[in-house]
DNA sequence: CGCATAGTTGAACTCTCTCAACAGCCGTGG
DNA sequence: CCACGGCTGTTGAGAGAGTTCAACTATGCG
């Protein structure tokens, strides 16, 4: 009945992206102070699971490098990708007892693990850290709403364009690496592999983007892509 | 780029529903203690807006009675209903500065208004209240994920069945009042009015539900409805 | 080099949407 | 109190976006 969550946060590791995140990132009392002491570093290899649906949720994680996917499968096999997590993002920053998604490494990943109890103590002890977590959760809800609009009301082309812009938003360059498969993208956008593939081909035909192998796309015409995304 | 949020919480006013909510609801130090002092009661009439997209977000609200709808409109008119808020639910429990949804009364509504600054102070002052807010935000994210699965992967029949079960979940009886229009439901489920209407008609034809006017449905066969919802 | 996996493209199909007409309900005013 | 008008909801028919099934191609790893 409920899903585990993964919440994005750009506070420390990657460059800031939004007003909220910028604000958080510049908090004088940086969150890493309080958290650094209690985290343990760990490595995950490509396709290795971090945890499974149903597991006890005894830790919070933060991605240092690489990319993680959280997903869920319906009894009949339909899959839903909850989120892609990149450096700086927290995984499952909520208070659920049981995992409701499976988290897997898309490529080799380094992350920091925080035991739930210690993490909670840190939040309570450090007021600015608590505020930050609140902010991150708020931001997560906000972007969840954005995604619901996408899933409920946008066309395939708009969804794919929005997705590419999202991925591009993380970087300066016009070159975007997609560590996930087309199937992952499809399950993230509520489409099929074929539709994602066809849509990307259309964008190439229109010279909006270009591909360097399936995993790398180059944005040739950013404003055209933004128009296609029909940003609301 | 970001959406305002409305977060559900059953802690005080209505009966508890989930593990998390139950836990919160039984917190010895009840949240109403800390909040009651700073809230002001207000009344809203049917169709009256509480706030609009773009407004300054200087308050948090909590529904006492009635029902509120939050929504957003894309430039070309496509609408997305973010949430329906019922007694006990908080509206826009996040730290965004600007409203990214419009909130309107579906019927006559009583709510409590908390000035943002005082609300934030209360959270910081009262540890258990802070925990509760964190819990509510977590729960909001969890149900957002649930909804994304619905929007991305479920069929029209599954969506409508899930919706009816959601609405029924708030009550003991098998009689469910729907204060929102078919259009609201459609925009909430990512469907059209016609599809919602047709699906409800199908359910009636199968004797799964029954209607007493458009606004009241009676669940005749709960397990059949649950099957239709294909609960994941 | 060769196989397996991932991605692309084509064609037919289907679910949902769109457009359109009709029906039912409710409040207002005669 | 009933009749009218407007709004909300229902039903029908046709169209279209995206899916499904299937074949083919490219890529990457042993």
């Amino acid at each position: 009945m409920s899903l585990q969550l993964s919440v994005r946060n750009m506070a420390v590791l990657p460059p800031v992206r939004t007003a909220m995140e910028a604000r958080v990132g510049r908090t004088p009392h940086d969150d890493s102070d309080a958290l650094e002491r209690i985290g343990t570093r760990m490595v995950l290899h490509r396709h290795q699971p971090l945890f499974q649906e149903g597991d006890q949720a005894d830790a919070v994680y933060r991605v240092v490098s690489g990319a993680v996917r959280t997903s869920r499968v319906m009894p009949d096999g339909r899959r839903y990708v909850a989120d892609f997590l990149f450096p700086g993002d927290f995984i499952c920053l909520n208070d659920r007892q049981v995992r409701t998604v499976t988290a897997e490494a898309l490529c080799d990943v380094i992350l920091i693990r925080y035991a739930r109890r210690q993490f909670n103590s840190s939040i309570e002890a450090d007021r600015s850290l608590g505020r930050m977590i609140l902010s991150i959760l708020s931001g997560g809800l906000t972007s969840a709403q954005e995604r619901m609009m996408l899933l409920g009301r946008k066309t395939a082309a708009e969804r794919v364009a929005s997705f590419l812009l999202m991925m591009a938003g993380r970087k300066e360059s016009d070159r975007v690496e997609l560590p996930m498969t087309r199937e992952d993208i499809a399950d993230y956008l509520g489409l099929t592999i074929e539709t994602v593939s066809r849509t990307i081909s259309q964008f190439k035909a229109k010279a909006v983007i270009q591909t360097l192998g399936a995993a790398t796309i180059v944005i040739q015409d950013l404003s055209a892509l933004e128009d296609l995304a029909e940003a609301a």
Side-chain angles (χ1 to χ4, degrees), chain A:
Chain A
M1 192 50 216
S2 60
L3 234 222
Q4 205 73 25
L5 294 163
S6 310
V7 175
R8 204 169 298 297
N9 165 46
M10 302 283 104
V12 183
L13 304 168
V16 293
R17 285 190 307 159
T18 72
M20 178 199 85
E21 286 154 352
R23 191 158 54 67
V24 171
R26 280 165 195 143
T27 299
H29 183 174
D30 195 300
D31 61 293
S32 53
D33 295 356
L35 284 180
E36 218 159 73
R37 267 169 274 138
I38 65 163
T40 38
R41 187 188 169 86
M42 54 184 283
V43 174
L44 224 57
H45 294 292
R46 195 155 116 89
H47 297 155
Q48 216 176 324
L50 179 58
F51 52 77
Q52 306 266 346
E53 227 177 305
D55 285 0
Q56 203 64 20
D58 51 7
V60 175
Y61 301 89
R62 190 171 200 191
V63 180
V64 174
S65 71
V68 174
R69 175 193 69 211
T70 54
S71 63
R72 216 178 154 192
V73 180
M74 285 170 74
D76 65 358
R78 279 177 286 183
R79 198 180 67 143
Y80 158 69
V81 167
D83 213 351
F84 299 111
L85 292 314
F86 294 95
D89 294 343
F90 281 97
I91 304 178
C92 293
L93 192 63
N94 67 8
D95 63 356
R96 298 283 138 160
Q97 298 302 300
V98 172
R99 304 289 183 196
T100 49
V101 290
T102 296
E104 286 152 310
L106 289 174
C107 50
D108 290 356
V109 169
I110 298 171
L111 26 85
I112 302 176
R113 177 185 194 281
Y114 306 103
R116 166 73 62 191
R117 291 182 61 172
Q118 290 176 51
F119 189 82
N120 286 343
S121 307
S122 298
I123 291 179
E124 305 233 329
D126 182 336
R127 187 155 294 187
S128 82
L129 178 61
R131 259 195 298 266
M132 188 191 81
I133 298 300
L134 222 56
S135 235
I136 295 174
L137 285 170
S138 287
L141 271 165
T142 300
S143 59
Q145 294 286 11
E146 202 64 38
R147 182 126 161 262
M148 286 187 216
M149 184 126 181
L150 178 145
L151 292 170
R153 287 288 173 237
K154 289 195 177 184
T155 64
E158 289 167 349
R159 292 183 203 195
V160 173
S162 301
F163 176 77
L164 294 177
L165 287 171
M166 252 183 62
M167 290 297 124
R170 304 185 152 273
K171 306 186 61 189
E172 300 294 305
S173 100
D174 55 358
R175 194 162 166 160
V176 187
E177 294 295 326
L178 303 176
M180 69 293 286
T181 66
R182 295 288 187 268
E183 187 168 18
D184 291 333
I185 298 173
D187 290 342
Y188 183 76
L189 297 178
L191 299 169
T192 58
I193 308 180
E194 294 93 329
T195 302
V196 170
S197 184
R198 268 185 259 270
T199 306
I200 289 176
S201 298
Q202 281 165 28
F203 290 176
K204 283 202 286 187
K206 286 188 206 164
V208 174
I209 62 169
Q210 199 179 326
T211 56
L212 276 55
T216 309
I217 71 127
V218 179
I219 299 177
Q220 289 183 291
D221 188 343
L222 182 61
S223 69
L225 194 61
E226 285 168 345
D227 289 350
L228 284 165
E230 178 96 349

